[in-house]
Amino acid sequence: MNENQELQKLFEGVVPERLDEVLDLVETHSAKFRRIGDKVGFNLDAGAFGAIQFTQRSLEQLWLFGFSGLYALHCYSAVAVLAKCYGLKFDLDEIDGLPDQKEENERFSKIIEIIGELSGVASEHDFTWPQGIPKPENGKPKNIEQAAVFDLILMATAYVFLHELKHVIFESEGNAPSNPLEEEMKCDTFASEMMLSQIDKYSILSGYPEDKVRMKRSMGIALGNAFLAVATPKDKIAGTDTHPPVYERWSATLGGITLEENDFYWLYFASLAIALLKYKEINFPSVPVTSYRQLAISAIDALESSI
């Protein structure tokens, strides 16, 4: 099975209601998904002549990051729920004093460090796979939590590839925005809309509740978008000539989510974003939790304030 066939399987699993449309775009614009030779860093981008190139280790970095989302929930979701229910503030200094919190924080930090290690080794063969994390080639885990993570990783991966596909479309049509920052934002929007805008069709065909499908796909998008804070070098978090600041991309992505303000999606993104801020030693001020959406926005504001 070649890479284009593998990506077809991915899109068929994540956005089956738009599979024909995606495949038509791939064919019309001669997009070619290519797994290239191993090299240091995170390498997944659109190159010349319709090529969307990626390394296996880059997919594995995204896979590992999926489990950081689970660990972030373990760190902060229960505290956020209690803070909202009882009108308390979400205060990281106080949270750090809770029983078992140190261990939960360390588990999150460790997985981020492992991703950095995988990114930096001279050869992927020099990397020792972490215990307790299933390998991608073993398929969907039987453990319920890990199986949920598996689904979100596939969605995040589809989101990332759809983003790159839009770059190919811009190149093919010759109508890319003159400002590369605008192009990046439009590619984010394209990927999100491809995953969210026709959920009603999928829901009718599958029988799955539309709100649950929207929540889960939005979480996958959040995972792919949050990965920017890990894949982007620290000195480029504030943006470059070609890529907007991470906080702007987070904010724009959240702005397109129409879920109810206390939907689990917001709790997921807030937990992951706050855990990343703490890991990067970015101050997250004590805030009241009026809604999970508000908590997520506060995390984005904290990232912006740090730049």
Side-chain angles (χ1 to χ4, degrees):
M1 184 181 294
N2 63 34
E3 286 82 359
N4 271 43
Q5 291 171 325
E6 289 179 10
L7 267 294
Q8 177 177 335
K9 284 290 187 183
L10 175 67
F11 295 134
E12 183 178 8
V14 174
V15 285
E17 75 281 5
R18 307 203 73 165
L19 178 62
D20 289 344
E21 183 179 353
V22 172
L23 296 181
D24 183 62
L25 288 171
V26 169
E27 181 178 0
T28 299
H29 300 285
S30 302
K32 302 175 184 64
F33 298 94
R34 293 177 177 169
R35 182 182 283 101
I36 59 175
D38 182 50
K39 55 182 176 179
V40 171
F42 181 80
N43 299 278
L44 195 165
D45 52 43
F49 308 110
I52 299 173
Q53 303 180 141
F54 60 96
T55 61
Q56 182 60 31
R57 86 157 77 184
S58 297
L59 297 183
E60 290 172 354
Q61 289 174 57
L62 187 52
W63 173 275
L64 290 170
F65 186 65
F67 289 87
S68 73
L70 175 62
Y71 300 157
L73 282 174
H74 288 176
C75 283
Y76 299 122
S77 61
V79 178
V81 170
L82 289 172
K84 177 182 172 296
C85 288
Y86 293 100
L88 304 174
K89 285 190 173 184
F90 189 98
D91 188 312
L92 283 180
D93 290 336
E94 291 186 1
I95 293 169
D96 283 346
L98 295 174
D100 301 324
Q101 188 65 34
K102 180 179 179 181
E103 290 76 9
E104 296 291 357
N105 290 344
E106 288 177 348
R107 185 158 67 148
F108 178 86
S109 296
K110 181 64 176 176
I111 196 70
I112 302 299
E113 290 168 1
I114 287 171
I115 294 169
E117 178 186 343
L118 174 57
S119 176
V121 292
S123 167
E124 62 178 333
H125 300 297
D126 297 330
F127 177 73
T128 301
W129 195 261
Q131 292 186 348
I133 304 292
K135 293 184 177 181
E137 59 265 28
N138 293 337
K140 191 168 186 173
K142 294 182 179 179
N143 175 279
I144 294 176
E145 280 193 332
Q146 292 183 346
V149 171
F150 175 90
D151 290 344
L152 293 179
I153 292 170
L154 293 187
M155 293 175 183
T157 304
Y159 171 79
V160 171
F161 276 111
L162 285 169
H163 171 102
E164 298 303 332
L165 176 59
K166 184 59 176 175
H167 281 301
V168 170
I169 295 170
F170 275 136
E171 180 190 35
S172 172
E173 295 180 341
N175 61 356
S178 58
N179 185 339
L181 303 180
E182 182 183 352
E183 180 173 346
E184 287 298 319
M185 300 297 280
K186 284 185 177 293
C187 289
D188 283 349
T189 299
F190 170 83
S192 293
E193 289 182 348
M194 288 296 291
M195 291 182 64
L196 298 176
S197 64
Q198 294 187 22
I199 285 176
D200 56 336
K201 294 182 180 179
Y202 172 75
S203 183
I204 291 170
L205 293 173
S206 67
Y208 290 113
E210 184 176 339
D211 59 336
K212 300 301 182 186
V213 176
R214 186 173 300 279
M215 176 194 72
K216 195 169 184 179
R217 289 196 189 175
S218 296
M219 289 170 64
I221 292 169
L223 182 66
N225 211 251
F227 185 65
L228 292 167
V230 176
T232 304
K234 188 173 183 179
D235 62 338
K236 296 180 180 178
I237 289 286
T240 65
D241 291 341
T242 58
H243 288 75
V246 170
Y247 74 81
E248 281 191 10
R249 297 178 71 175
W250 281 7
S251 182
T253 299
L254 263 68
I257 301 300
T258 58
L259 293 164
E260 185 268 331
E261 66 179 10
N262 287 310
D263 188 89
F264 185 76
Y265 160 81
W266 299 107
L267 185 59
Y268 176 79
F269 182 88
S271 298
L272 182 51
I274 292 168
L276 285 168
L277 293 176
K278 181 175 177 60
Y279 176 80
K280 291 180 173 293
E281 299 182 338
I282 295 172
N283 179 58
F284 182 71
S286 174
V287 295
V289 183
T290 58
S291 71
Y292 303 142
R293 181 178 183 275
Q294 166 268 319
L295 188 63
I297 292 173
S298 295
I300 296 175
D301 290 343
L303 179 59
E304 181 178 4
S305 297
S306 72
I307 295 173

